[in-house]
Amino acid sequence: MSTTTTGRGRTADTLSQREREEELLARCETLVAEALRAGADEAEAFATHAQKSAATFEKGDLKLAHVDEGSTIGLRVFRQNRLGFAATNQFDAAALAAAARNAVALASASPADPANRLPDARPIVELPSLVHPGIARLGIDEAVDLGHTLLTRAQKFDTRISVDGANASTSRVSQAIHTSRGVRAVESDAMVSLSISGMALEGADVGGFHYGSDAIRDPVLLESALARLADDFARTSVGNLAAQRAPTSYQGLVLFSPDAVLDLFVAPVLAASSAIAVQRGRSALGKRLGERIGAPGLSIHDRPGDAELAGAASFDREGQPARLFALVEDGWLRGWMYNGYAAAVENRASTGHARGGARGAPGLGAHAVCVAGGTGGSREDLLAALGRGLLVQRFSGSVDPASGDFSGVAKSSRWVEGGRETGPVRETLLSGNAYQLLARIVALGNASERVDGSARSPWALVDGLTVTAG
Amino acid sequence: MLGIMNRAAPDPTDLLQDALNAAPGGFVELRWHKKQTRGISVEKGRVDNATASEHSGVGVRVLEQGTFGFASTDRLEKGAVVRAIGEARAAARASSRARRERVPDFPAVTLARGRFDAPGVDATLARPIESALEMLLEVERGARAGSSRVTSASTAYAEIYEEKGIVTSDGAKVWTRAIRPEFRVIAIAAKAGEMQRGAEAVGVTGGWECLFESKSPAQLAEKAAKQAVYLLDAGYPEGGRTQVLLSPALVGLLTHEAVGHTVEADFVASGSCAAGRLGTRVASDLVTLCDSGASEYHDGAGGTLAVDDEGVATQRTTVIENGFLRSYLHDRESAARSGVAPTGNARAWEYDDEPLIRMRNTYIAPGTSKLDEMIAGTDDGYLLDGASNGQADANGEFMFGTREAYRIVRGKKGPLLRGVNISGSAFDVLQTVDAVGSEFRWDLGSGHCGKGQPAKVDAGGPWLRCEVVLGGRKA
């Protein structure tokens, strides 16, 4: 393995994973030391290195082959409990010194906050390696092949398919953290990401746009995941042809796909479960900890140990252990998510929910959200329970996290009569209140399905929606 | 005063030209792109973010064996750029087997040369970040002090400073600088366990004075706080197809989401609803819709740029002229395939991104109607204001959010109602336009457009009356 390193610390050839991790940690140590010399009381450096090969397809043909490699380092400092942050992708001594000076200067200008302090080091239970050699070895040739296979499989599914864009990328990412409070951690990841978007065309009929994506770490699963992604995309796109206006507007039951459940109901719960949102008085669930907020059977967990999901990780953006966390269990609101800052406000430990990359100060969020399956049976069982009404595969709209109010368009949606899909509908709007509707989940499907490689959810039948036919 | 970054790099184009000369053969496009951001956010008197960051390097795109290859380096050094050219060529060669239809060589076009500076760069870079921090803290306090119902408020300021040097093997050699500041304020109001949010945001290409030319930060905060409080007592509009008066911000969303994306030539080639419709009527004859690299009518439009990332000087592109579809938005490849001149719409977010077809400043040209007359002339409908998010499909079906709604009955505007999402099919909606206002405003300069990569854009227009589907609470 060649390990040629330039005088500026950037590799001109491939480093081993271990060497890469050691290099990142060394850069973090250097920058933390630089920050302390520049006047910081505490300093945290978080660095990432990514190697990526991507093939982009447009209009059913290869558009671009993209190879890329780069590093970024972010520095958070506290000076007299004042916050400053700087990031750079330049690693020469002058650039790192400038980053340290900038972070300290920003801290000097900021007001003090007693919760501005770094968390102490805590033991991290390392996940089994997220780097499978069978994925890590893939480069631009394989990205082109995967993208081409994805594209042609979707096109062969039905001649009416028009692929607007398809992308296959392979990535190897390492991230390291070092702080003046003794946090020191490093982890690497290798993944294939696939995405496809487009529609079906038949004469003058342009079907509704659809897209899908996945992220895979296990080479054994790659072929089947690609096939499923292509087929699901094509099937849904063709199904969007000849869309009609919904037969009627109504208030009542709607059947949601796992994707729509996550966007419409889970995302606002996550926003409202941020301890910072609660502390600042902008969480709609802020006074409901320990109360039942959802229907029996509704359980939402963060599972950073689920290696089949993109957000799997051993530690969070602050080097704190990431672990299984219950947000909602059987409808009961169980806990808030804390990062280091929110934890310091309440003088308690972080729950390992600092999120973000090297280019910004740590935020707060979940790693790998999983909604548990229920007892509602299969998709067909849920269709039967719906009887007559709307099935929504994607929701295109906005949910106000403060109020929970939402309205938006039901995409790739189908009308259902007698428990059977009768055809696609268009220009159909949905509205309601996400927090109120959590309690009106009538049934959750048995299977919790992977969504875009980043989360899991079952289908859900929900009552109380307002459906407006266009 | 803080010396936070803002080290203006020397003109990089000679170095890029040297690197290009050292690696001759075929089409090569080199883009040095230095991006520096400064950002501060404040919530409830606490500074959540005080950031200075830099992301700089050279993106290399080549056309080799009939296909594109892209690579990048984070170093502005001749040797590193030459190596990246080699990597991009290798990527193109490795992938050419999968290219069904070869990209023809670009036809000769006039490419930009020289230096182009957007307004406001030096003055904004010289402004100490402390002044932004003080303003944010004061305005955030003010937003909370306006009403006991306001339980939380936040303010944020961000600025993106960009330098680009673009050199191509067929003659472009430009160095551009631009700065884009933006300000955002959010207020949360609560009553009896219910919460509502008010938000205001502005963003420009230009300086601080331009950013707050129409409204001061305090005025924006007051408006956001009032909006949050008033919405607590507001009812819901009824759903259904209805006539609406769209504010300039919403006209901006309509032009951007519902029309702009469907006329991007890459979407057209994939079969968007605009495909094959050049020269046909797609809107009422009151509608003239353009996309421009310049800030038309008013200074400061957020998507202003003099030269795109392929080295093509931007221009005003008339997409719809008096109701007839006249042009798509092109990069060099799509323009060559269509036998037209490129329109200067190729844009890349950062150095390690390849250029895509993106909008700049998209708008509907002003008409002759006064807002009061438009309200008085509406028998039954809604006045909608305040842009939220928006999305559109290639088939022209769009959705976007509004923050405020007012019922209009027999020419009279009623009380505030909660904002809703509206939907429709782009060209169907534009066919229903029966009144276009005379006052023009850019109103979408904050935030980003997403299309795989973010892009700073702007959009706007006058008040406009049309028919859409409203996602109200009562079906």
Side-chain angles (χ1 to χ4, degrees):
Chain A
M1 183 72 71
S2 170
T3 57
T4 309
T5 302
T6 71
R8 303 179 68 198
R10 177 183 163 86
T11 57
D13 207 334
T14 309
L15 293 177
S16 71
Q17 179 187 315
R18 174 63 62 85
E19 289 164 337
R20 172 75 59 208
E21 292 174 348
E22 288 174 356
E23 182 189 63
L24 282 181
L25 274 172
R27 287 175 165 177
C28 289
E29 289 169 5
T30 300
L31 190 53
V32 165
E34 188 81 51
L36 297 176
R37 275 196 298 276
D41 299 331
E42 296 187 288
E44 166 200 88
F46 183 87
T48 61
H49 176 86
Q51 285 177 286
K52 185 178 173 187
S53 299
T56 303
F57 293 77
E58 267 185 21
K59 300 166 283 184
D61 202 356
L62 181 76
K63 168 75 173 177
L64 183 80
H66 183 142
V67 291
D68 206 17
E69 180 174 1
S71 300
T72 302
I73 192 162
L75 173 69
R76 182 168 62 151
V77 303
F78 294 121
R79 185 178 194 182
Q80 296 172 335
N81 299 111
R82 299 161 190 264
L83 166 69
F85 182 88
T88 181
N89 70 333
Q90 305 294 305
F91 285 86
D92 58 282
L96 293 178
R101 280 197 310 274
N102 290 333
V104 172
L106 280 164
S108 300
S110 300
D113 181 338
N116 276 337
R117 57 179 192 265
L118 293 177
D120 291 322
R122 292 161 63 202
I124 293 168
V125 179
E126 288 186 22
L127 292 178
S129 175
L130 298 173
V131 179
H132 192 294
I135 295 292
R137 67 171 179 79
L138 303 181
I140 189 64
D141 286 339
E142 290 80 11
V144 170
D145 288 343
L146 286 165
H148 188 256
T149 304
L150 177 66
L151 174 76
T152 52
R153 184 171 178 114
Q155 289 172 326
K156 285 178 182 169
F157 188 95
D158 193 297
T159 56
R160 293 169 292 180
I161 289 294
S162 173
V163 177
D164 178 54
N167 185 282
S169 68
T170 67
S171 63
R172 280 169 287 167
V173 178
S174 296
Q175 56 185 30
I177 184 167
H178 175 76
T179 79
S180 56
R181 278 195 180 243
V183 171
R184 182 182 164 86
V186 64
E187 188 161 51
S188 294
D189 197 350
M191 213 161 6
V192 168
S193 299
L194 303 168
S195 67
I196 188 166
S197 61
M199 59 277 197
L201 306 172
E202 187 165 32
D205 185 13
V206 180
F209 197 75
H210 192 65
Y211 60 81
S213 63
D214 205 347
I216 304 106
R217 289 193 179 93
D218 185 346
V220 174
L221 302 177
L222 189 51
E223 188 176 338
S224 60
L226 185 149
R228 187 169 53 249
L229 176 62
D231 293 354
D232 286 351
F233 161 76
R235 188 180 299 110
T236 302
S237 298
V238 170
N240 287 346
L241 284 168
Q244 304 292 317
R245 291 190 171 141
T248 183
S249 299
Y250 71 97
Q251 287 182 301
L253 289 168
V254 172
L255 179 58
F256 291 96
S257 74
D259 187 309
V261 169
L262 290 165
D263 280 351
L264 204 43
F265 302 110
V266 178
V269 170
L270 293 176
S273 299
S274 151
I276 293 178
V278 175
Q279 291 163 357
R280 306 268 174 92
R282 57 175 159 81
S283 167
L285 301 177
K287 294 177 180 167
R288 301 192 63 189
L289 189 63
E291 293 182 15
R292 172 157 255 160
I293 63 162
L298 176 66
S299 292
I300 305 172
H301 290 84
D302 187 20
R303 295 182 183 274
D306 187 339
E308 288 191 358
L309 301 181
S314 301
F315 57 89
D316 74 354
R317 171 63 179 79
E318 294 175 322
Q320 299 296 298
R323 56 173 191 252
L324 175 65
F325 184 81
L327 290 145
V328 178
E329 282 183 320
D330 201 27
W332 297 87
L333 183 60
R334 292 301 188 200
W336 309 131
M337 297 183 289
Y338 289 82
N339 62 7
Y341 175 86
V345 168
E346 297 180 31
N347 201 26
R348 50 159 294 164
S350 162
T351 56
H353 284 106
R355 298 285 285 153
R359 294 177 67 175
L364 199 164
H367 301 267
V369 174
C370 299
V371 182
T375 57
S378 66
R379 183 172 177 273
E380 287 65 35
D381 294 330
L382 292 168
L383 279 168
L386 170 62
R388 183 175 197 251
L390 192 68
L391 176 156
V392 178
Q393 302 201 67
R394 283 197 297 122
F395 174 72
S396 173
S398 55
V399 186
D400 179 14
S403 65
D405 284 345
F406 66 84
S407 72
V409 179
K411 308 297 290 188
S412 299
S413 55
R414 307 285 185 261
W415 190 254
V416 176
E417 292 278 359
R420 304 176 74 89
E421 295 178 39
T422 60
V425 296
R426 59 186 172 92
E427 292 184 31
T428 306
L429 286 112
L430 285 176
S431 60
N433 184 283
Y435 299 122
Q436 293 169 10
L437 290 174
L438 288 172
R440 304 194 69 179
I441 295 174
V442 173
L444 291 163
N446 286 359
S448 183
E449 301 176 12
R450 279 176 80 242
V451 179
D452 298 336
S454 61
R456 296 181 191 272
S457 175
W459 288 75
L461 185 62
V462 185
D463 201 2
L465 276 293
T466 299
V467 177
T468 305
Chain B
M1 178 175 131
L2 293 179
I4 305 291
M5 299 197 171
N6 303 330
R7 297 167 293 161
D11 183 347
T13 54
D14 287 342
L15 186 151
L16 296 177
Q17 187 70 59
D18 284 350
L20 199 153
N21 293 342
F27 173 79
V28 179
E29 176 185 275
L30 304 178
R31 174 170 41 86
W32 156 251
H33 190 162
K34 171 179 171 176
K35 175 178 279 184
Q36 292 184 331
T37 58
R38 300 196 292 185
I40 305 174
S41 59
V42 169
E43 183 178 15
K44 270 197 154 179
R46 297 165 189 257
V47 174
D48 282 340
N49 185 33
T51 296
S53 72
E54 175 171 353
H55 189 71
S56 303
V58 180
V60 178
R61 189 172 66 149
V62 304
L63 184 53
E64 183 103 354
Q65 296 185 0
T67 192
F68 289 110
F70 186 94
S72 66
T73 173
D74 52 19
R75 285 182 292 157
L76 182 61
E77 296 172 6
K78 181 178 172 182
V81 177
V82 170
R83 274 196 299 277
I85 293 172
E87 289 168 5
R89 284 177 172 151
R93 284 194 295 272
S95 61
S96 64
R97 62 191 153 76
R99 182 91 197 190
R100 200 176 60 241
E101 191 178 343
R102 303 281 154 173
V103 181
D105 290 342
F106 290 155
V109 293
T110 302
L111 295 167
R113 297 181 71 85
R115 177 170 172 167
F116 301 84
D117 275 8
V121 170
D122 293 326
T124 306
L125 291 181
R127 178 176 281 275
I129 197 72
E130 290 101 322
S131 61
L133 178 57
E134 288 165 10
M135 177 272 288
L136 293 177
L137 287 164
E138 182 182 336
V139 169
E140 189 271 333
R141 269 196 307 272
R144 278 185 286 135
S147 167
S148 59
R149 287 185 175 176
V150 176
T151 58
S152 180
S154 62
T155 50
Y157 171 80
E159 70 189 29
I160 299 173
Y161 168 60
E162 292 178 292
E163 294 176 17
K164 294 180 185 179
I166 300 165
V167 172
T168 68
S169 54
D170 56 353
K173 190 166 187 270
V174 294
W175 184 26
T176 69
R177 300 196 310 154
I179 195 156
R180 295 187 171 90
E182 65 180 56
F183 167 78
R184 185 180 305 273
V185 53
I186 296 172
I188 307 287
K191 187 182 84 169
E194 186 189 358
M195 289 185 175
Q196 283 293 331
R197 194 170 75 109
E200 289 293 317
V202 288
V204 299
T205 303
W208 184 276
E209 289 72 22
C210 183
L211 183 65
F212 298 116
E213 184 182 25
S214 299
K215 286 191 178 70
S216 70
Q219 287 171 320
L220 291 164
E222 183 183 357
K223 189 174 178 196
K226 281 183 176 172
Q227 185 185 66
V229 171
Y230 292 164
L231 284 173
L232 287 170
D233 297 318
Y236 293 95
E238 293 181 19
R241 187 171 294 276
T242 183
Q243 194 169 50
V244 293
L245 295 181
L246 300 180
S247 70
L250 295 174
V251 170
L253 266 184
L254 180 73
T255 60
H256 179 94
E257 297 293 350
V259 181
H261 282 300
T262 64
V263 298
E264 291 169 336
D266 50 348
F267 274 140
V268 173
S270 295
S272 85
C273 62
R277 299 188 69 176
L278 283 178
T280 67
R281 178 175 285 284
V282 295
S284 100
D285 57 9
L286 296 175
V287 175
T288 291
L289 188 152
C290 303
D291 180 72
S292 179
S295 186
E296 312 281 351
Y297 300 103
H298 285 296
D299 290 341
T304 302
L305 70 161
V307 180
D308 79 356
D309 288 331
E310 292 183 326
V312 175
T314 61
Q315 55 177 288
R316 182 179 64 203
T317 305
T318 302
V319 175
I320 297 172
E321 184 180 30
N322 298 327
F324 288 87
L325 189 63
R326 295 300 186 202
S327 178
Y328 302 133
L329 305 178
H330 289 286
D331 61 9
R332 295 188 68 185
E333 182 193 2
S334 72
R337 289 187 187 282
S338 301
V340 299
T343 54
N345 284 84
R347 302 179 65 185
W349 176 239
E350 292 183 328
Y351 79 88
D352 42 2
D353 293 317
E354 63 277 10
L356 305 175
I357 298 176
R358 309 302 297 265
M359 284 170 265
R360 293 103 25 129
N361 303 314
T362 316
Y363 64 94
I364 286 178
T368 56
S369 299
K370 302 292 183 195
L371 177 58
D372 290 349
E373 298 166 0
M374 293 165 76
I375 294 172
T378 303
D379 186 55
D380 186 3
Y382 288 90
L383 182 148
L384 303 176
D385 196 3
S388 181
N389 64 324
Q391 296 167 23
D393 278 358
N395 64 359
E397 189 177 352
F398 67 87
M399 174 288 306
F400 53 82
T402 71
R403 295 194 191 283
E404 299 176 5
Y406 300 85
R407 183 80 195 269
I408 301 174
V409 179
R410 289 185 290 279
K412 302 288 185 193
K413 180 179 155 190
L416 174 68
L417 301 169
R418 296 183 185 196
V420 291
N421 280 22
I422 62 175
S423 177
S425 285
F427 295 149
D428 293 346
V429 169
L430 290 181
Q431 298 270 13
T432 67
V433 171
D434 68 354
V436 177
S438 57
E439 294 175 21
F440 183 94
R441 198 167 78 223
W442 293 114
D443 213 352
L444 219 63
S446 64
H448 303 88
C449 167
K451 184 181 169 185
Q453 304 167 21
K456 291 298 293 184
V457 299
D458 211 333
W463 284 86
L464 179 146
R465 189 168 60 200
C466 59
E467 285 182 16
V468 298
V469 180
L470 216 68
R473 188 57 68 88
K474 297 172 194 166

